[in-house]
């Protein structure tokens, strides 16, 4: 398979996955861009794996989990060219007003969040999720159950959080 | 249930997912820059940032037309003119003798990729054919279409290179069965005839011969094969056949670029995988799919010109010689100015053949 073929077939799905992980369109694009640059450069190695798509998803998930606040790319670009990013919406505020679930999701530790996206958005079984997160199957289960418990607790609270149960 | 709320939240979020295509271009630009830096020096995070700053202006993403092709692994880098010889042979049995190249076309792509220019070379052009040791061919004077018989695609390539003075990047040879398969797979090609074409058939009286009227139609492989192999439309030479074949290639390019085969690289690769056994391609290091993808918009602007030549007899053999204008054409070709030459000569009747022809150089309407 050629790199362009892979991009053509998979990029949109990767971008969707990244949006669910980060909750934010711009962060998702940065994440995908960071990852795909490395994929393109190391394409020979990537394409030699059994399922390149899984390997790339793993690269992207790791980048998400390991990153600190936003990618360094965005921080550097933002700092140097602040006018390029539209300084319009306060995402945090919008999340609270419109979608309590997203707000709660954004407060979860990144690995827990990734585990939730893999199970409830990608509909992946625990074995595949473990492959992508690079952990044991049992770890996936405990990540998911802890995350759900936190969400239940956060979303059960009254009006302060937009109360959705 | 919290699980349901989660799924619902994800579903809602899908509406916010942007289109991926503008991102492809940014990634490619960044990766190229990254690669260059790695070659030049140790890459540090700061250097990568500088490269991305220079190229990945986030605002550009909003402006890029998603239909713009990604500048992936280009067929050549940096962009330089490309020259490929396309030849059609009359071989009807793939296992049989190779057939003669009745159609020889030099496809030229200028460096700016603004279009694709087809130069038709008369098959009867009298040339000095080089020796070709691999086949034991000793070389002699003869018609240029004999080169393929004596030394295959490689000898043909060399002869065209010598004739035009440009280096040839590759060859694409198609025989009758290959042509039929290609056209059938496309479901026919929409092709217009400027003038009626009478099919040569000595077994039938002239007034009973089949005539294709002028006009446009989606034509099947059998009909196209019959039209495109007609040579006896003039007393001498095959100028009309050259013109018809060039017009056909232009129509084919237009049809493919307007269809869904070039919607994305995956579709193109599928088309190519199906078609590649119907062509004999030798493009060296150039990936044909990457090449066609890179030329996606250029293929919507296909123009052609016949190499100026006139009938001349050599040792009793009825052949064709280059007209005095030919060196000027080849000069323009070599200096990447062929588009200008074609524009300057568009619509002018050919002065070097016995009977006048309409639109000897032309573009796609």
């Amino acid at each position: 398979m050629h790199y362009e073929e892979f991009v053509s077939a998979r990029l949109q799905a990767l971008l969707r996955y990244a949006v669910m992980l980060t909750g934010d369109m711009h962060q998702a694009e940065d994440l995908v861009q960071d990852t795909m640059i490395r994929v393109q450069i190391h394409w020979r190695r990537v394409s030699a794996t059994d399922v390149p798509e899984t390997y790339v998803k793993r690269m992207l998930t790791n980048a998400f989990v390991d990153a600190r606040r936003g990618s360094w790319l965005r921080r550097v670009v933002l700092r140097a060219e602040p006018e390029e990013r539209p300084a319009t919406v306060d995402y945090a505020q919008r999340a609270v007003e419109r979608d309590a679930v997203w707000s709660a999701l954004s407060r979860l530790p990144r690995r827990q969040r990734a585990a939730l996206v893999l199970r409830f958005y990608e509909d992946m079984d625990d074995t595949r999720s473990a492959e992508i997160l690079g952990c044991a199957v049992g770890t996936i289960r405990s990540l998911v159950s802890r995350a759900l418990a936190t969400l239940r607790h956060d979303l059960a609270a009254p009006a302060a959080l937009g109360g959705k149960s | 249930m919290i699980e349901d709320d989660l799924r619902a939240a994800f579903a809602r979020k899908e509406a916010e997912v942007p289109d991926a295509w503008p991102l492809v271009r940014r990634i490619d630009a960044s990766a190229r820059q990254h690669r260059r830096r790695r070659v030049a020096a140790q890459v540090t995070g700061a250097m990568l940032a500088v490269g991305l700053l220079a190229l990945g202006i986030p605002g550009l993403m909003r402006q890029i037309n998603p239909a713009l092709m990604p500048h992936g692994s280009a067929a050549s880098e940096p962009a330089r003119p490309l020259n490929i010889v396309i030849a059609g042979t009359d071989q009807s049995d793939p296992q049989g003798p190779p057939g003669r190249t009745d159609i020889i076309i030099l496809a030229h792509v200028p460096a700016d990729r603004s279009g694709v220019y087809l130069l038709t070379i008369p098959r009867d052009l009298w040339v000095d054919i080089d020796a070709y040791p691999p086949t034991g061919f000793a070389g002699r004077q003869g018609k240029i279409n004999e080169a393929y018989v004596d030394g295959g695609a490689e000898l043909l390539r060399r002869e065209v290179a010598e004739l035009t003075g440009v280096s040839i990047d590759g060859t694409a040879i198609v025989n009758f069965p290959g042509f039929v398969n290609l056209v059938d797979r496309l479901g026919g090609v929409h092709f217009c005839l400027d003038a009626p074409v009478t099919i040569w058939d000595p077994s039938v009286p002239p007034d009973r011969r089949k005539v294709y009227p002028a006009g446009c139609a989606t034509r099947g492989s059998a009909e196209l094969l019959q039209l495109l192999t007609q040579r006896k439309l003039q007393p001498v030479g095959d100028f009309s056949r050259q013109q018809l074949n060039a017009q056909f290639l232009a129509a084919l390019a237009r049809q493919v670029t307007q269809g869904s085969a070039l919607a994305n690289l995956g579709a193109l690769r599928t088309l190519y995988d199906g078609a590649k056994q119907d062509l004999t391609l030798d493009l060296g290091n150039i990936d044909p799919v990457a090449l066609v993808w890179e030329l996606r918009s250029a293929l919507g602007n296909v123009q052609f010109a016949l190499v100026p030549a006139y009938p001349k007899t050599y040792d009793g053999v009825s052949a064709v010689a280059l007209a005095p204008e030919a060196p000027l054409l080849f000069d323009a070709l070599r200096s990447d100015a062929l588009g200008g030459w074609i524009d300057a000569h568009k619509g002018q009747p050919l002065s070097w053949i016995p009977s006048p022809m309409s639109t000897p150089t032309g573009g796609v309407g």
Side-chain angles (χ1 to χ4, degrees):
Chain A
M1 196 197 327
H2 292 241
Y3 168 78
E4 298 89 347
E5 211 176 11
F6 179 84
V7 166
S8 185
R10 302 292 182 203
L11 194 75
Q12 191 69 58
L14 271 170
L15 193 52
R16 270 201 300 275
Y17 174 62
V19 168
M20 301 308 156
L21 279 181
T22 60
D24 170 60
M25 182 172 92
H26 299 294
Q27 280 184 54
E29 278 170 347
D30 291 342
L31 186 60
V32 170
Q33 177 168 330
D34 284 354
T35 305
M36 291 308 292
I37 289 169
R38 280 179 287 135
V39 168
Q40 190 179 103
I41 288 169
H42 301 295
W43 178 245
R44 201 137 34 116
R45 188 205 307 165
V46 172
S47 61
T49 62
D50 279 338
V51 188
E53 192 195 353
T54 302
Y55 189 77
V56 171
K57 220 170 202 161
R58 182 171 171 166
M59 284 172 73
L60 193 142
T61 311
N62 285 341
F64 168 70
V65 168
D66 294 338
R68 277 158 288 175
R69 259 175 342 112
S71 71
W72 70 262
L73 160 71
R74 185 151 176 263
R75 285 200 308 274
V76 172
V77 172
L78 263 179
R79 202 163 37 224
E81 310 245 17
E83 69 277 3
E84 298 298 346
R85 287 278 184 225
T88 51
V89 189
D90 180 338
Y91 293 109
Q93 164 116 50
R94 193 174 80 169
V96 166
E97 282 162 11
R98 284 211 4 216
D99 202 325
V101 177
W102 275 104
S103 177
L105 266 174
S106 67
R107 287 192 291 270
L108 289 173
R110 287 176 174 238
R111 286 229 302 175
Q112 287 184 18
R113 191 153 159 193
L116 288 184
V117 171
L118 288 169
R119 180 169 315 167
F120 296 106
Y121 180 68
E122 299 283 314
D123 282 323
M124 236 176 244
D125 62 51
D126 291 345
T127 309
R128 278 197 67 202
S129 298
E131 219 184 296
I132 294 202
L133 262 179
C135 62
V137 170
T139 310
I140 291 285
R141 295 202 185 112
S142 76
L143 283 171
V144 168
S145 75
R146 277 203 306 241
L148 289 179
T150 308
L151 284 183
R152 268 186 215 105
H153 176 267
D154 282 358
L155 296 170
L161 283 175
K164 202 174 178 278
S165 61
Chain B
M1 294 258 314
I2 191 66
E3 289 90 338
D4 298 328
D5 292 338
L6 257 181
R7 288 189 212 272
F10 287 137
R12 284 195 299 277
K13 199 70 172 175
E14 281 199 320
E16 286 179 40
V17 177
D19 181 45
W21 280 115
L23 190 56
V24 174
R25 195 170 167 153
R26 274 168 58 194
I27 293 168
D28 284 342
S30 305
R32 259 206 314 280
Q33 189 76 355
H34 187 89
R35 221 179 268 119
R36 249 179 248 142
R37 300 281 183 184
R38 262 173 36 149
V39 167
Q42 291 277 359
V43 170
T44 64
M47 286 195 76
L48 181 56
V50 168
L52 290 169
L53 267 179
L55 299 164
I57 301 166
L60 191 59
M61 176 186 70
R62 318 265 175 263
Q63 298 162 29
I64 291 177
N65 180 353
L68 192 66
M69 53 190 167
H71 194 80
S73 61
S76 65
E77 80 159 284
R80 57 171 176 81
L82 290 173
N83 298 292
I84 294 170
V85 172
I86 301 172
T89 73
D90 61 359
Q91 181 187 47
S92 45
D93 173 9
Q95 316 299 339
R100 295 157 304 175
T101 48
D102 287 336
I103 289 295
I104 304 170
I105 291 179
L106 175 63
H108 172 79
V109 183
D112 64 8
R113 307 293 187 251
S114 53
V116 176
Y117 301 116
L118 305 176
L119 284 185
T120 68
I121 297 169
R123 49 153 276 166
D124 297 325
L125 187 67
W126 196 255
V127 293
D128 246 310
I129 309 177
D130 293 337
Y132 191 65
T135 55
F137 175 63
R140 64 159 186 278
Q141 290 202 327
K143 299 179 184 179
I144 196 168
N145 80 326
E146 292 166 31
Y148 183 74
V149 176
D150 296 318
E154 177 56 28
L155 187 57
L156 174 63
R157 193 180 68 81
R158 289 184 199 179
E159 291 307 319
V160 176
E162 267 188 44
L163 174 70
T164 58
V166 293
S167 70
I168 307 291
D169 297 287
T171 56
I173 318 280
V174 62
N175 59 16
F176 283 173
F179 176 84
V180 166
N181 289 341
L182 285 168
V183 171
D184 286 347
R185 194 171 302 108
L186 289 171
V189 176
H190 188 81
F191 179 50
C192 302
L193 295 173
D194 293 338
V197 175
T198 306
I199 300 302
W200 173 256
D201 187 349
S203 69
V204 170
D207 55 343
R208 301 278 203 90
R209 290 176 191 167
K210 181 174 172 71
V211 177
Y212 289 95
C216 302
T218 297
R219 305 177 194 272
S221 53
E223 181 179 328
L224 285 168
L225 204 55
Q226 197 172 49
L227 282 168
L228 298 176
T229 53
Q230 291 308 297
R231 68 165 290 159
K232 296 209 185 282
L233 301 172
Q234 281 122 1
V236 288
D238 70 336
F239 305 100
S240 281
R241 180 166 63 178
Q242 292 176 48
Q243 180 188 3
L244 263 182
N245 276 270
Q247 284 174 328
F248 169 75
L249 284 180
L252 176 66
R254 195 177 24 177
Q255 180 168 321
V256 172
T257 56
Q258 285 174 357
S260 61
L262 297 193
N264 57 57
L265 270 162
L268 178 57
R269 193 160 281 284
T270 303
L271 174 71
Y272 173 70
D273 285 341
K276 63 186 175 205
Q277 72 256 24
D278 298 323
L279 292 171
T280 307
L281 271 182
D282 180 2
L283 296 178
N285 291 330
I286 297 176
D287 172 9
V289 172
L291 175 62
V292 174
W293 187 252
E294 183 181 334
L295 300 181
R296 195 182 135 201
S297 73
L299 283 167
N301 176 31
V302 176
Q303 303 194 41
F304 64 87
L306 276 60
V307 169
Y310 63 94
K312 182 167 174 175
T313 305
Y314 294 88
D315 298 334
V317 179
S318 179
V320 151
L322 287 179
E325 299 91 323
L328 295 170
L329 166 60
F330 296 141
D331 278 344
L333 172 68
R334 279 190 297 271
S335 35
D336 199 15
L338 186 57
W341 190 94
I342 289 182
D343 283 340
H345 290 78
K346 210 175 273 194
Q348 291 172 13
L350 289 175
S351 58
W352 55 86
I353 58 166
S355 48
M357 277 172 56
S358 60
T359 57
T361 64
V364 176

